[in-house]
Amino acid sequence: MERRAFLSQNAAVLAAPLGAKAAAGAGGPGPAGPTAASPFANKTLPPRLNSTASTLAPYTGAWGLDQAAHLLRRCLFGPTRGEMQAAAASSLTAVLDGLLAAPAPPAKPLNVSTADTTVAIGQTWVGQPFDQTLEGARRTSLRDWWLGQQLGQATSLSEKMTLFWHNHFVVEFGDINSAQYGYEYVRLLRQYALGNIRQLAKAVTITPAMLRYLNGNASTASAPNENYGRELLELFTLGKGPLIGAGNYTTYTEADVQAAAKVLTGWRDDATTVAGYFTASRHDTSTKQFSSAFGNAKIAPNGASEYQDLVDLVFRQPATAAFLVRKLYRWFVYYVIDAQIESDIIQPLATLLVQSNYEVAPVLRALLGSQHFFDAATVGCFIKSPLDFTLGVCRQFELVFPPASSVVAQYGMWEYLYSLGTVQQQPLGDPPNVAGWAAYYQTPQYHELWINAVTLPRRNQATDLLLGTSGYTRNGFTIKADLVAWVQALPPATAQDPNLVIAEFARLMVPIALTANQLAFLKNALIPGLPDFEWTAEWNQFLATPTVAAKRNAVASKLSAMARALAGLAEYQLS
């Protein structure tokens, strides 16, 4: 695989006609290849959002359902109405405290395949010897389990940040060919999701998944491999600055890549212990000289600890903190960073990150609790990722999934969610290359790349199915939104007023106010051409005889039509 294909992607995306590669993702649940960007997508970066509050000063404005919903939409995979209401009834400080509290580690993924006779159904395969014949089943279990953790997340940033680090310190499960390595990698990302970035960088450098993915396990004194050293500098820490000379990228040089490669020689991966280990005889014992970008620093021979010296050196460079903060800003706020955002938001947060010894939580607290984050211009300003979209509809309408006592069915439904993300071009565990998903780095389109001739129909099909009256059935279980129960949970006066019902759906499903015409369109979907009292009468008839299927089906079909119409609006794609 060409893991650095992202370097030449932009020109191809801009030049290709609409749908030029659409067939790559049109044939079922397998990986959907990238398609050409819409001809209406950005050709240049748009102006920065017209924000009136480009400041990191703590937010002191109104705190209610709208503000709580905005915060939770960015921090969770689809907050529920209950989560929004609980946050609104609390305070911003208390909500941030909860979001930044790491939950207990989850239980390990389980075997759900009859092909794996070494482990009973419902028992974990983690820790079992590697077996190539079982690798496919275990990898499927791993990614389904990960989807399950995202679906069942607590009101914590842990899962969103685990995915962030997966998109940052990238490995591809399909390339490393070891579910054991993949599990250890995900465990590591979750452990440090809200913790110390420098320690995460050190740990991920010698985790077996990364050693295998970027060929660090084959790097020796006589043949240093530059892959990880290059990505450590370019994609994981410093980032490239302007090219100011042959092989000189401002923040580092080609000579620095070569020196880093020498530092990292001698590391190998052990499939039995699922760990990296150091072999001194394979290590370059020379003193490593770095360029003026690093103050002409040297790393003296230090054996198995030398890689830590390298990471420490890189994290002493001011460019590292700023590079990391820019990625966090694009993940949580917006993708355009102009001179004012750089000076008023990025640089102060970078300073805070350094002052906090590279603990990420203080930076997230400052950003997510700032006037800038809650400015009206930042609300509903970017397109949901496929995982946000897919998990969001399931969580917001509280779809009931098979219980843990039916583990095969439970994992099967999680596999279905994985397939929905995959056909929308975000297969969990397998970003397209070492840079991650293009929507987080590919200028000038960024998140617009999530919407194309393949993915938009897939999104619509998913909401039509899950918000429909039939749902999706697998292994004898059906998942679908119980919209009648959702409306029954509303205050009685709200539930019997079609305008208030639509307003509650809109408040849950879209981040920005709908127009009068859009609301009229939705009411026509709910009660086509009928006066408001028709809904009131029909709803009350259902409440009077809730066990009569015809009465329930009558209101259920109307709610389904309205919810699917709302999910078809462009605003539903936004977060």
Side-chain angles (χ1 to χ4, degrees):
M1 171 176 283
E2 177 48 65
R3 296 180 184 135
R4 295 180 63 80
F6 66 93
L7 290 174
S8 58
Q9 182 176 352
N10 185 47
V13 168
L14 287 175
L18 176 63
K21 298 182 183 178
T35 63
S38 165
F40 304 106
N42 292 332
K43 300 302 186 292
T44 59
L45 277 175
R48 178 173 60 88
L49 296 170
N50 188 23
S51 172
T52 58
S54 292
T55 170
L56 281 175
Y59 176 70
T60 56
W63 178 254
L65 196 60
D66 290 344
Q67 292 76 28
H70 171 55
L71 177 62
L72 295 186
R73 282 191 179 102
R74 298 295 173 86
C75 296
L76 305 178
F77 294 102
T80 66
R81 183 172 182 270
E83 288 169 336
M84 291 178 182
Q85 289 181 317
S90 185
S91 66
L92 173 57
T93 298
V95 174
L96 287 173
D97 287 345
L99 288 169
L100 293 168
K108 296 173 182 178
L110 306 177
N111 174 44
V112 292
S113 172
T114 56
D116 191 346
T117 57
T118 67
V119 180
I121 298 292
Q123 300 298 311
T124 187
W125 45 263
V126 175
Q128 294 296 312
F130 175 80
D131 185 335
Q132 185 62 62
T133 64
L134 302 176
E135 176 59 23
R138 290 175 178 177
R139 194 183 311 159
T140 297
S141 166
L142 172 62
R143 68 194 187 197
D144 296 344
W145 166 83
W146 192 355
L147 257 296
Q149 305 314 308
Q150 294 172 340
L151 183 67
Q153 67 189 333
T155 309
S156 168
L157 265 166
S158 179
E159 288 302 325
K160 263 289 179 76
M161 284 300 294
T162 299
L163 184 64
F164 172 85
W165 292 122
H166 174 44
N167 186 66
H168 183 75
F169 292 111
V170 172
V171 305
E172 300 173 56
F173 289 172
D175 276 18
I176 63 174
N177 190 42
S178 171
Q180 302 279 4
Y181 283 14
Y183 171 74
E184 173 57 22
Y185 162 79
V186 177
R187 187 205 63 78
L188 186 67
L189 298 185
R190 187 173 283 110
Q191 176 187 342
Y192 286 101
L194 296 169
N196 191 281
I197 306 175
R198 181 171 51 212
Q199 289 304 117
L200 173 58
K202 289 179 179 179
V204 84
T205 296
I206 59 168
T207 200
M210 186 64 75
L211 286 170
R212 182 173 291 184
Y213 179 59
L214 290 179
N215 309 115
N217 59 358
S219 189
T220 65
S222 59
N225 188 290
E226 296 180 3
N227 284 355
Y228 185 77
R230 184 176 302 280
E231 309 310 1
L232 175 68
L233 302 182
E234 180 178 345
L235 297 178
F236 301 163
T237 57
L238 292 162
K240 267 186 180 178
L243 183 67
I244 58 175
N248 187 336
Y249 312 110
T250 306
T251 53
Y252 67 94
T253 69
E254 283 295 317
D256 294 324
V257 172
Q258 295 161 10
K262 293 177 181 178
V263 167
L264 296 166
T265 54
W267 283 93
R268 308 178 78 177
D269 61 293
D270 189 322
T272 301
T273 61
V274 190
Y277 69 98
F278 182 74
T279 302
S281 62
R282 292 163 61 96
H283 180 62
D284 185 312
T285 58
S286 66
T287 297
K288 287 78 177 179
Q289 175 71 58
F290 288 80
S291 73
S292 59
F294 294 86
N296 297 309
K298 296 179 180 180
I299 292 182
N302 197 16
S305 298
E306 210 168 303
Y307 78 96
Q308 298 185 50
D309 298 335
L310 172 62
V311 172
D312 287 336
L313 173 63
V314 170
F315 274 75
R316 285 196 294 270
Q317 309 310 308
T320 294
F323 179 77
L324 292 167
V325 165
R326 289 187 199 104
K327 293 197 74 169
L328 288 167
Y329 183 86
R330 289 189 169 114
W331 188 265
F332 286 107
V333 184
Y334 194 52
Y335 63 81
V336 175
I337 299 175
D338 66 1
Q340 184 179 359
I341 295 297
E342 181 69 26
S343 65
D344 294 351
I345 306 295
I346 303 302
Q347 291 304 322
L349 287 176
T351 298
L352 176 61
L353 184 58
V354 174
Q355 292 172 344
S356 303
N357 195 32
Y358 280 95
E359 292 288 336
V360 74
V363 172
L364 292 173
R365 182 181 294 275
L367 177 60
L368 299 174
S370 69
Q371 290 181 10
H372 179 65
F373 181 79
F374 285 100
D375 187 80
T378 71
V379 178
C381 66
F382 65 63
I383 294 169
K384 296 173 188 172
S385 73
L387 288 171
D388 247 335
F389 181 90
T390 299
L391 293 163
V393 67
C394 296
R395 296 195 75 255
Q396 291 197 311
F397 287 104
E398 301 170 65
L399 273 64
V400 177
F401 282 75
S405 57
S406 299
V407 65
V408 173
Q410 183 184 60
Y411 272 65
M413 284 301 186
W414 293 345
E415 171 66 15
Y416 172 63
L417 298 187
Y418 169 82
S419 73
L420 290 181
T422 297
V423 296
Q424 294 171 45
Q425 300 176 355
Q426 193 179 24
L428 183 62
D430 284 284
N433 54 59
V434 70
W437 286 288
Y440 299 111
Y441 68 81
Q442 188 63 67
T443 188
Q445 298 92 1
Y446 286 96
H447 58 231
E448 292 189 7
L449 292 171
W450 289 132
I451 301 294
N452 56 55
V454 170
T455 61
L456 184 57
R458 295 296 194 183
R459 289 181 177 223
N460 293 336
Q461 290 164 6
T463 51
D464 281 350
L465 185 63
L466 297 176
L467 298 177
T469 55
S470 298
Y472 174 77
T473 300
R474 185 170 185 165
N475 293 317
F477 285 84
T478 298
I479 56 170
K480 66 177 180 178
D482 188 344
L483 301 180
V484 175
W486 194 87
V487 174
Q488 280 183 290
L490 299 174
T494 300
Q496 65 181 2
D497 185 328
N499 302 292
L500 297 180
V501 168
I502 291 168
E504 290 294 336
F505 272 82
R507 187 174 291 116
L508 176 75
M509 295 174 68
V510 299
I512 56 181
L514 299 179
T515 66
N517 285 342
Q518 287 174 314
L519 294 172
F521 164 74
L522 295 174
K523 185 155 73 169
N524 191 59
L526 181 68
I527 47 172
L530 299 175
D532 291 2
F533 69 78
E534 292 286 354
W535 168 260
T536 305
E538 196 160 17
W539 180 254
N540 287 333
Q541 289 170 15
F542 157 68
L543 292 180
T545 55
T547 59
V548 176
K551 299 295 184 182
R552 183 183 184 88
N553 293 340
V555 292
S557 62
K558 289 179 171 59
L559 290 170
S560 174
M562 186 273 293
R564 286 182 285 118
L566 180 49
L569 297 179
E571 286 80 0
Y572 184 64
Q573 308 300 328
L574 302 177
S575 173

